[in-house]
Amino acid sequence: MTETTTPVAVRRLLDAFPGEGKAAEFRGQWRVDLPRERVLDALRLLRDDPDLAFDFLNDVTCTDHPDEEPRFRVVWTLTSLSRGDRIRLAARCPEEDPVVPSAVPLWAGANWLEREAYDMFGVRFAGHPDLRRILMPGDFPSFPLRKEFPMEGERSDREWARWVIERARRPEEAAGPASAPAPAPGERAP
């Protein structure tokens, strides 16, 4: 086993938030866990410090741990394109108050990533400019990547097909037959 050297970004985060952060390494990938109240400051530090230069937000996702408290872990994956380094920042939030700060003020690309995490897990991102469902229907009552969601889904394939077909119809088809007769072959419609 080789000794692992703690990357400068991890040390910088732990120094910036003394006693608040916890670092973990798994197969060469580093993660720093911080309280959710510190996430935006930590993301800004990683992006704006020229020695760190984590200028690319790869992903924002969530994991569900129903037997733990707090239940949800939101994870931001960042890359420094100039240095080729990668780091993950994580924050936990409870089921009763599943809210973390939005990274959209720092990276516009966080917009859809956060919407997906919200849609699948129900975790909200405070300060997000347009937090609404992106994959599931707006009236869908559940969050499909939560552990309690049934593996077989909540609707049968036939019910989903009916739902998709109803929403795919053009407005004029949904209104019924057109009032004007169809043009004869070779004629143009008015």
Side-chain angles (χ1 to χ4, degrees), residues 6-185:
T6 305
V8 65
V10 172
R11 291 194 312 268
R12 191 76 52 89
L13 282 172
L14 296 176
D15 290 345
F17 305 100
E20 295 183 87
K22 179 182 170 191
E25 182 269 338
F26 181 72
R27 296 185 180 180
Q29 299 284 321
W30 283 88
R31 184 186 81 230
V32 176
D33 295 301
L34 284 170
R36 60 183 168 169
E37 298 80 17
R38 297 295 195 192
V39 166
L40 206 54
D41 293 331
L43 290 169
R44 186 175 287 108
L45 171 70
L46 290 168
R47 185 193 68 175
D48 295 346
D49 186 318
D51 294 332
L52 303 178
F54 283 92
D55 48 1
F56 183 69
L57 175 69
N58 297 72
D59 196 14
V60 178
T61 191
C62 186
T63 57
D64 183 9
H65 307 271
D67 297 331
E68 298 176 17
E69 190 56 43
R71 177 176 178 170
F72 300 105
R73 176 185 286 142
V74 181
V75 182
W76 295 262
T77 304
L78 305 172
T79 297
S80 170
L81 296 175
S82 61
R83 294 184 20 255
D85 289 341
R86 181 173 285 187
I87 191 169
R88 287 184 179 85
L89 186 64
R92 302 295 293 255
C93 59
E95 184 174 10
E96 306 77 44
D97 185 28
V99 180
V100 295
S102 174
V104 171
L106 301 175
W107 289 281
N111 190 318
W112 283 25
L113 301 170
E114 292 176 356
R115 285 180 60 193
E116 180 184 19
Y118 162 71
D119 198 6
M120 296 290 106
F121 291 95
V123 172
R124 295 184 311 277
F125 292 84
H128 190 285
D130 186 24
L131 192 61
R132 60 189 162 100
R133 298 199 99 136
I134 191 168
L135 299 171
M136 302 304 293
D139 61 349
F140 194 76
S142 304
F143 302 103
L145 291 183
R146 286 190 178 188
K147 300 286 186 188
E148 74 268 5
F149 192 81
M151 292 290 288
E152 66 279 0
E154 292 182 336
R155 297 179 183 176
S156 70
D157 289 346
R158 190 176 304 265
E159 289 171 318
W160 271 112
R162 189 176 311 115
W163 182 87
V164 169
I165 290 167
E166 287 172 4
R167 280 150 185 80
R169 288 195 176 122
R170 295 186 181 131
E172 61 270 13
E173 290 174 358
S179 57

